[in-house]
Amino acid sequence: WASLMETHWTSVEEEFGYFAVRLHRASIALSDEVSSDSPRVRSKKRKKALFKYNMKLVIFSILALIGVGAGIYIFLNYGNPVTGDSDESEEVEDNTITKFFLGVGTITISFVPFLKQLFTFFVTILPQLGSSS
């Protein structure tokens, strides 16, 4: 049976292409299909799962870039320069610390959804793209 499956597998790869077969397996891993689904429903779920993953990846990448830009903008605009008055100096220092943590928080929060999609890629999609059976 093993040699028959290997022969079948290589013939399917030769007909449809290496990447197409691996991408099909990744779409199966991403979809929430059940064994009672018809082939048409399974196909729709697979296409929808790949589309949703691609859209999430694009949108969350853009949001991450916007978050980094906003965080850098916050870092660069630290507020008023120190005039020498001790009361104002403490206020500017507090403002600087607040803006620093706001900038770090903005960057961190903007990367969380993107990192989740990256995790999904490494755990679900990449193993399917690399396996041969």
Side-chain angles (χ1 to χ4, degrees):
W1 284 107
S3 64
L4 179 62
M5 288 303 293
E6 181 66 29
T7 305
H8 180 64
W9 183 258
T10 53
S11 65
V12 168
E13 277 187 349
E14 288 173 3
E15 183 176 341
F16 294 104
Y18 175 84
F19 187 71
V21 172
R22 300 303 198 273
L23 193 59
H24 174 72
R25 293 188 68 202
S27 71
I28 292 170
L30 285 173
S31 69
D32 57 347
E33 62 188 53
V34 292
S35 59
S36 62
D37 288 340
S38 69
R40 187 175 185 184
V41 170
R42 287 183 186 184
S43 178
K44 284 183 179 182
K45 284 184 175 182
R46 292 171 188 166
K47 287 178 184 176
K48 184 178 177 183
L50 271 179
F51 178 77
K52 281 176 58 176
Y53 177 77
N54 288 333
M55 286 298 102
K56 284 180 182 179
L57 190 60
V58 168
I59 290 169
F60 293 151
S61 297
I62 292 169
L63 288 176
L65 290 173
I66 290 171
V68 168
I72 290 172
Y73 178 78
I74 291 169
F75 283 144
L76 295 178
N77 293 317
Y78 272 55
N80 303 327
V82 179
T83 58
D85 189 10
S86 63
D87 291 335
E88 283 186 24
S89 177
E90 277 184 26
E91 186 177 311
V92 169
E93 186 176 314
D94 289 342
N95 191 23
T96 301
I97 292 170
T98 302
K99 286 191 177 188
F100 173 79
F101 284 113
L102 183 62
V104 170
T106 301
I107 292 172
T108 303
I109 290 171
S110 69
F111 264 97
V112 170
F114 173 74
L115 292 176
K116 183 182 180 297
Q117 295 305 309
L118 201 60
F119 178 77
T120 301
F121 175 77
F122 282 112
V123 170
T124 306
I125 296 174
L126 194 61
Q128 299 301 326
L129 294 177
S131 64
S132 63
S133 59

